[in-house]
Amino acid sequence: MILKENETLEDLLIDNLKIIQNKNLYRFSSDAVLLSRFASFKKGDKVADFCAGSGIVGMHFYALNKDVELVDGYEIQPELADTFQRSIEYNNLDGKIFCHNMPIQEVPKDKNGFYSLILCNPPYKKKNSGEKNPEGHIAVCRHEIAVTLEEIVQISAKKLRHGGRLCMCQRVERLTDLLYLMRENKIEPYRLQFVISGQNQKPYLFLVEGVKGITRQLTVLETIKN
């Protein structure tokens, strides 16, 4: 495989797996890795990675948990989906990880009740809130331009089977928004973890996992440092 201009191979540091990153496109952050490590795993999981970007969350989750049945990644931007697909091919993961270049609003109806786990590192900022990145493709990754938090949770509720889990990360200022939306869509939050940075002891990020259709007591895990 020949890398395209401005592309590099980033090592996932697990089993020599690598992911393609383009210097001119949105590049994944440590938040994505924190999410894939935080998510619970069950043997035979059928996993969806919503807002997949270059595929880091789904690929890293697979690297950590090889007994998943499959990982379907959904990414709306063709350029990012292309890097994701070529990473799949480079690592010989055809038949295990699949890239779908489509908005999550168009995930077909035959996937209703199909997934046991949905992972999502969503756009953090509401549409028209704060300064947008001047690069359009990066703005789509950071702002709710192509999909809203409400849509992500609503669609996840449709695509998860009973007892399936939704696992997401989000900025702390949107904690009440996300927990409210999960409960509104019968996804009960039951694991919550805050993340602090080296420069600030106040949490800037949280990770949450909820289960569809089952009542569970919320457990707040020990805060971690990124």
Side-chain angles (χ1 to χ4, degrees):
M1 181 195 68
I2 299 174
L3 293 175
K4 295 182 179 180
E5 186 178 0
N6 296 314
E7 288 184 344
T8 59
L9 276 174
E10 303 289 337
D11 198 332
L12 295 185
L13 303 177
I14 305 174
D15 296 339
N16 203 34
L17 294 173
K18 294 179 172 60
I19 187 168
I20 298 171
Q21 293 287 278
N22 188 310
K23 296 176 183 177
N24 293 332
L25 298 177
Y26 182 79
R27 297 170 67 84
F28 72 84
S29 69
S30 58
D31 295 358
V33 176
L34 290 173
L35 177 63
S36 61
R37 288 176 175 166
F38 170 79
S40 65
F41 164 71
K42 294 182 180 180
K43 186 175 181 179
D45 266 336
K46 295 178 180 177
V47 183
D49 178 8
F50 284 176
C51 309
S54 58
I56 179 60
V57 175
M59 288 188 64
H60 196 260
F61 185 81
Y62 168 80
L64 295 169
N65 307 287
K66 299 265 187 342
D67 286 334
V68 300
E69 183 169 330
L70 59 85
V71 177
D72 279 332
Y74 295 92
E75 171 53 42
I76 189 173
Q77 298 194 70
E79 299 85 357
L80 285 169
D82 176 63
T83 62
F84 183 8
Q85 179 60 43
R86 286 184 288 118
S87 292
I88 293 170
E89 295 168 2
Y90 177 85
N91 292 290
N92 296 314
L93 294 175
D94 303 83
K96 204 68 174 181
I97 301 180
F98 305 88
C99 174
H100 306 278
N101 181 201
M102 65 172 67
I104 65 169
Q105 295 94 329
E106 294 180 9
V107 177
K109 290 184 178 179
D110 64 7
K111 298 299 184 183
N112 288 356
F114 179 79
Y115 296 108
S116 59
L117 174 64
I118 294 177
L119 306 168
C120 184
N121 181 5
Y124 286 155
K125 299 180 181 180
K126 292 182 180 180
K127 188 175 181 179
N128 299 323
S129 66
E131 183 180 352
K132 290 183 184 177
N133 192 292
E135 296 294 333
H137 57 84
I138 294 178
V140 169
C141 295
R142 292 180 175 170
H143 295 258
E144 293 179 353
I145 296 171
V147 67
T148 65
L149 191 62
E150 183 176 15
E151 287 177 308
I152 291 169
V153 178
Q154 289 174 345
I155 294 166
S156 296
K158 290 181 181 179
K159 305 307 173 184
L160 284 172
R161 69 187 188 193
H162 182 79
R165 295 102 64 211
L166 171 62
C167 194
M168 296 181 65
C169 57
Q170 182 55 274
R171 296 294 182 182
V172 167
E173 57 265 28
R174 306 204 65 189
L175 175 64
T176 52
D177 293 341
L178 182 50
L179 297 187
Y180 170 79
L181 288 169
M182 291 174 77
R183 274 201 156 177
E184 277 287 292
N185 288 278
K186 296 180 172 54
I187 299 174
E188 185 67 17
Y190 74 100
R191 293 174 66 232
L192 177 65
Q193 188 167 46
F194 293 98
V195 182
I196 61 175
S197 68
Q199 291 75 37
N200 192 339
Q201 296 306 302
K202 292 183 179 179
Y204 75 95
L205 186 79
F206 70 92
L207 306 158
V208 64
E209 186 168 87
V211 61
K212 178 181 174 180
I214 298 176
T215 301
R216 289 189 180 176
Q217 184 175 349
L218 177 66
T219 298
V220 180
L221 305 177
E222 184 178 352
T223 298
I224 58 174
K225 187 175 181 179
N226 184 17

